[in-house]
Amino acid sequence: MALTLNQLRLTIKEKDEHKRSLNYRKLAPKAKKAVDDVFGMMAKTPQKVLTMFPRILQQVAKKHRIQPKDIETYFAKETGLTI
């Protein structure tokens, strides 16, 4: 069965796909940079994402001088999960 071009486009994951979301666009510039750093750090160690996520959040929040809760709220909104 042949895929249409639109179906093929939907199956391909882009590197910065998270930047298209409405929740990302609503973030403050500092928070956007922090979220980008979280995704970058998670891409470096994809096999340990779940174990490294809390530590990555703390490091990025400290680096960008924002509250870890702000980053957690973004991810909760994106995934539809509650914290």
Side-chain angles (χ1 to χ4, degrees):
M1 181 175 163
L3 291 174
T4 64
L5 185 58
N6 193 30
Q7 290 171 334
L8 179 62
R9 184 182 59 82
L10 293 174
T11 61
I12 297 173
K13 299 289 182 190
E14 293 184 22
K15 180 180 175 186
D16 295 329
E17 189 172 342
H18 66 277
K19 293 182 180 183
R20 294 184 191 174
S21 76
L22 181 62
N23 292 326
Y24 180 83
R25 286 186 263 150
K26 288 181 180 179
L27 292 174
K30 269 185 160 180
K32 286 181 182 180
K33 290 179 184 176
V35 169
D36 292 341
D37 279 354
V38 169
F39 276 109
M41 292 176 84
M42 287 190 321
K44 290 178 185 174
T45 57
Q47 68 277 9
K48 299 179 183 179
V49 171
L50 292 177
T51 57
M52 299 286 290
F53 191 70
R55 188 168 29 161
I56 289 172
L57 282 181
Q58 293 296 323
Q59 291 172 350
V60 170
K62 187 175 181 180
K63 176 182 173 184
H64 292 282
R65 296 183 179 152
I66 63 172
Q67 296 294 319
K69 185 76 172 167
D70 295 337
I71 302 171
E72 292 172 1
T73 302
Y74 165 76
F75 281 103
K77 286 180 181 177
E78 283 296 313
T79 59
L81 300 174
T82 59
I83 297 174

